[in-house]
């Protein structure tokens, strides 16, 4: 299956593959035609950059130029793992189509045996956004990918359910100080331990990363955030209005919440509910911050 997936990728096709965060929809990062098809299938604006996935941290210096020491330190600490580093693009190795024409590129080594085998066998960079249509809920199983993309994807590698469940943390290391563009699987405390100081979030008005659009990660149902204590009364009120209500209660730990979040949103959508009442994780630290971020964006999409 891996050999066939590599063949398909080399021929310009699209291969969905598992990662520890969510499933990715992969194309050869050096093949402009394959990248055009990737953006068409994803339904993504062509100026939104995608992450390039590689098997080894050493490839960072092939795909990027002027890589700062802090990037090497972060890669050494967290790769393979749910961290994406935005660095300066090596113009010969990454097609501008992968990066929305930018001078920078997001790179990561995913922590999943199937992904690593696939990436290693391919050898080059694999450009891959999450394997969902633009703006929708990310897939955490091979079946989610098939449900969303059907025959638009040539091969789906099945590596079981994603164990982290929310996307990678994105850190831009092209400026004077590293900046967090998207919270995700690696938390602020872990980053600070390597950088030596807390990292700033990017707050500038410019959209640096489309995953940071206010409305994103949206199920079909409207998502409302509620406190655990008001869950029952809010559900009763909506039901009295004749609406079908689904409830997303916070699991015991933030890690568990992250793992089941997207699957639960899909389960509730499949049930055809009108409104999903979601309780934020009690713990805003660690991966709880990423869960809260995704829930807020899902709720913003309903506005
Ligand atoms: O965990 C993940 O990151 C998953 C798996 C498949 O690796 N991928 C993922 O890709 O979430 P996607 O395309 O759904 O989100 C990638 C985010 C986007 O918000 C994009 O704008 C940002 O990464 N990004 C990629 N390259 C960038 C760059 N050069 N500068 C700024 N943001 C970048
Ligand atoms: Mg995505």
């Amino acid at each position: 299956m891996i050999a066939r997936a590599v063949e398909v990728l080399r021929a310009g096709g699209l291969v969905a593959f598992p990662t520890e965060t969510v499933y990715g929809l992969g194309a050869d990062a050096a093949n402009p035609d394959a990248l055009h098809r990737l953006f068409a299938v994803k339904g993504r604006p062509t100026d939104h950059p995608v992450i390039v996935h590689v098997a080894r941290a050493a490839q960072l210096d092939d795909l990027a130029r002027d890589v700062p020491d802090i990037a090497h330190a972060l890669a050494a600490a967290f790769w393979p793992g749910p961290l994406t580093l935005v660095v300066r693009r090596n113009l010969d190795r990454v097609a501008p189509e992968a990066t929305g024409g930018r001078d920078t590129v997001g790179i990561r080594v995913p922590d999943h045996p199937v992904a690593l085998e696939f990436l290693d066998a391919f050898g080059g960079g694999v450009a891959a956004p999450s394997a969902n249509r633009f703006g929708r809920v990310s897939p955490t199983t091979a079946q989610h990918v098939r449900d969303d993309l059907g025959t638009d994807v040539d091969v789906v590698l099945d590596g079981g359910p994603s164990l982290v469940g929310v996307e990678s943390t994105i850190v831009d290391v092209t400026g004077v100080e590293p900046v967090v563009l998207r919270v995700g699987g690696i938390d602020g405390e872990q980053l600070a331990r390597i950088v030596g100081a807390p990292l700033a979030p990017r707050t500038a008005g410019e959209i640096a990363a489309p995953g940071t659009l206010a409305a994103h990660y949206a199920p079909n149902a409207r998502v409302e955030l509620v406190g655990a204590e008001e869950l029952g009364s809010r559900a009763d009120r909506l039901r009295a209005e004749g609406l079908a209500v689904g409830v997303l209660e916070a699991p015991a730990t933030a890690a568990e919440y992250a793992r089941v979040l997207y699957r639960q949103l899909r389960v509730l959508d499949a049930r055809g509910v009108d409104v999903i009442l979601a309780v934020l994780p009690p713990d805003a630290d660690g991966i709880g911050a990423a869960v809260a971020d995704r829930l807020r964006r899902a709720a913003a999409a309903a506005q």
Side-chain angles (χ1 to χ4, degrees):
M1 197 66 173
I2 299 261
R4 193 172 114 64
V6 168
E7 226 172 84
V8 165
L9 209 67
R10 291 215 169 105
L14 302 182
V15 174
F17 61 98
T19 84
E20 80 283 29
T21 59
V22 301
Y23 274 66
L25 178 63
D28 179 351
N31 181 337
D33 292 338
L35 293 164
H36 284 138
R37 186 164 160 230
L38 174 68
F39 278 74
V41 164
K42 172 92 185 163
R44 187 173 197 157
T46 51
D47 61 344
H48 287 201
V50 297
I51 295 170
V52 175
H53 298 71
V54 290
R56 302 159 199 279
Q59 290 171 273
L60 182 58
D61 292 289
D62 296 337
L63 299 181
R65 59 189 156 83
D66 309 328
V67 178
D69 290 346
I70 193 63
H72 291 123
L74 288 166
F78 300 115
W79 284 354
L83 176 72
T84 295
L85 294 171
V86 172
V87 288
R88 297 199 186 285
R89 174 168 68 100
N90 178 341
L91 307 180
D92 300 328
R93 300 297 304 274
V94 179
E97 285 81 358
T99 71
R102 286 162 201 242
D103 189 40
T104 59
V105 57
I107 299 179
R108 110 176 170 95
V109 179
D111 187 13
H112 192 293
V114 174
L116 290 171
E117 196 184 333
F118 167 58
L119 293 168
D120 190 47
F122 179 65
V126 175
S130 50
N132 53 285
R133 308 264 185 212
F134 185 63
R136 314 307 298 186
V137 177
S138 302
T140 54
T141 68
Q143 190 57 47
H144 293 165
V145 177
R146 292 190 202 101
D147 292 346
D148 284 2
L149 301 181
T151 54
D152 282 348
V153 51
D154 300 310
V155 175
V156 180
L157 292 173
D158 190 344
S162 297
L163 292 179
V164 173
V166 292
E167 296 81 354
S168 60
T169 298
I170 303 178
V171 176
D172 183 342
V173 292
T174 62
V176 180
E177 310 239 291
V179 168
V180 175
L181 300 185
R182 179 177 73 185
V183 295
I186 299 289
D187 67 49
E189 216 169 279
Q190 291 173 290
L191 294 172
R193 226 174 288 141
I194 303 303
V195 173
L199 278 74
R202 161 104 10 118
T203 48
E206 184 209 357
I207 295 167
T212 64
L213 288 173
H216 213 78
Y217 310 105
N220 295 318
R222 180 176 100 215
V223 176
E224 259 184 46
L225 303 182
V226 291
E229 65 296 338
E230 48 178 349
L231 189 58
S233 58
R234 183 66 186 143
D236 287 347
R237 201 158 344 121
L238 290 167
R239 286 186 180 119
E241 287 172 24
L243 295 170
V245 178
V247 168
L248 185 56
E249 278 180 86
T253 66
E256 176 63 13
Y257 205 159
R259 196 155 38 235
V260 302
L261 173 65
Y262 291 143
R263 188 181 74 215
Q264 289 297 95
L265 291 176
R266 282 168 183 268
V267 166
L268 293 170
D269 255 351
R271 227 192 268 161
V273 302
D274 302 301
V275 183
I276 295 172
L277 294 182
V279 179
L280 291 172
D283 193 353
D285 295 344
I287 204 166
V291 173
D293 171 80
R294 304 306 188 268
L295 282 173
R296 289 205 179 92
R297 291 180 207 285
Q303 303 300 305

